[in-house]
Amino acid sequence: MGERSTTPGTGRPGRRALLAGGAAGVAGVGAFAARDTLSRLWWRHSGTEAPRVDGEVDHPGAEWIPASTANYRRANRPRDYPIDRVVIHMPEATYPITLRVFQDPGHGACTHYVVRSSDGHIAQLARELDVAFHAGHQGFNERSVGIEHEGWADDPSYLTDALYEASAELVAGICERYGIPVDREHIVGHNEVPDVVRICPGPHWDWDHYIALVRRAAGSVS
């Protein structure tokens, strides 16, 4: 479920030590550090100042059930970071337990959305503006929207038509908003995130069927 074994920021590459000789080299390193610091401060300010409306959702019909603010980082995407991926998860838990875990500040992770198996009901836990800690990889967290789907990777009974169809409509809307191609390069499983060892959404997730549903839904929102 998200990043149970990690903490926010896990996967951040350490700053490379730079060895520069002469005054020109030292100046170059100083300029790089100044630009890097300014960039990080600018995005932090940008995200803080992005206008928000309490309870507002990005997907029509979603229910706003906010995650703990400890489990995501405020931002102003796509201004801060381009969004070009959707990451599909399975939490190894029921819908209500998944919500409770993501509301726990000690968990350190959440996705933007959770989809219920029985009827496809969708909860939004973090705004798409913000960086949810869901992928176990900083770069993917910053560039993607994460979606949990109620169930267990080894139990196909949770993969209902309602879940697939609701998730496909959700993803079609995300792709429309950010110009993301509807294909397997841009819609990925958590197990496909670099440097992450996961099995979700698991061997029973029907990718061909799912992508076909997303493409069909995308045609209706274009």
Side-chain angles (χ1 to χ4, degrees):
M1 179 187 300
E3 300 179 20
R4 287 175 296 184
S5 61
T6 64
T7 57
T10 295
R12 183 189 298 273
R15 188 179 297 277
R16 182 180 300 171
L18 298 174
L19 299 178
V26 171
V29 172
F32 174 84
R35 286 197 304 271
D36 182 55
T37 300
L38 178 61
S39 175
R40 286 186 284 108
L41 290 173
W42 171 253
W43 295 137
R44 184 179 305 155
H45 176 76
S46 170
T48 300
E49 296 302 317
R52 308 295 172 106
V53 176
D54 288 345
E56 186 175 28
V57 295
D58 297 295
H59 178 68
E63 180 184 7
W64 179 247
I65 304 178
S68 168
T69 56
N71 297 335
Y72 65 88
R73 185 171 82 243
R74 283 177 68 96
N76 189 8
R77 303 190 306 167
R79 178 182 173 182
D80 294 3
Y81 311 103
I83 299 174
D84 64 2
R85 294 291 189 278
V86 177
V87 180
I88 302 300
H89 298 264
M90 185 161 285
E92 306 291 316
T94 63
Y95 175 85
I97 288 176
T98 302
L99 296 180
R100 287 203 301 270
V101 168
F102 289 162
Q103 291 173 321
D104 177 0
H107 182 60
C110 74
T111 51
H112 293 90
Y113 296 97
V114 179
V115 184
R116 191 160 61 197
S117 172
S118 62
D119 57 1
H121 181 71
I122 295 172
Q124 182 166 1
L125 290 89
R127 290 292 308 278
E128 292 172 11
L129 285 166
D130 296 326
V131 177
F133 304 136
H134 67 94
H137 184 287
Q138 183 186 353
F140 261 75
N141 285 343
E142 291 170 349
R143 74 192 300 180
S144 68
V145 174
I147 306 171
E148 288 280 10
H149 298 80
E150 179 183 20
W152 282 260
D154 62 355
D155 185 351
S157 69
Y158 280 88
L159 300 177
T160 63
D161 290 342
L163 178 141
Y164 273 130
E165 290 169 6
S167 179
E169 290 179 3
L170 170 61
V171 172
I174 294 167
C175 291
E176 174 73 11
R177 281 191 285 282
Y178 305 109
I180 303 172
V182 179
D183 59 34
R184 286 286 286 114
E185 180 181 352
H186 297 85
I187 303 170
V188 302
H190 193 188
N191 61 309
E192 297 171 300
V193 173
D195 306 319
V196 172
V197 179
R198 301 290 295 178
I199 62 169
C200 74
H204 301 292
W205 185 269
D206 189 339
W207 280 108
D208 290 341
H209 176 57
Y210 183 64
I211 294 297
L213 288 174
V214 178
R215 287 177 176 154
R216 185 179 72 185
S220 68
V221 299
S222 298

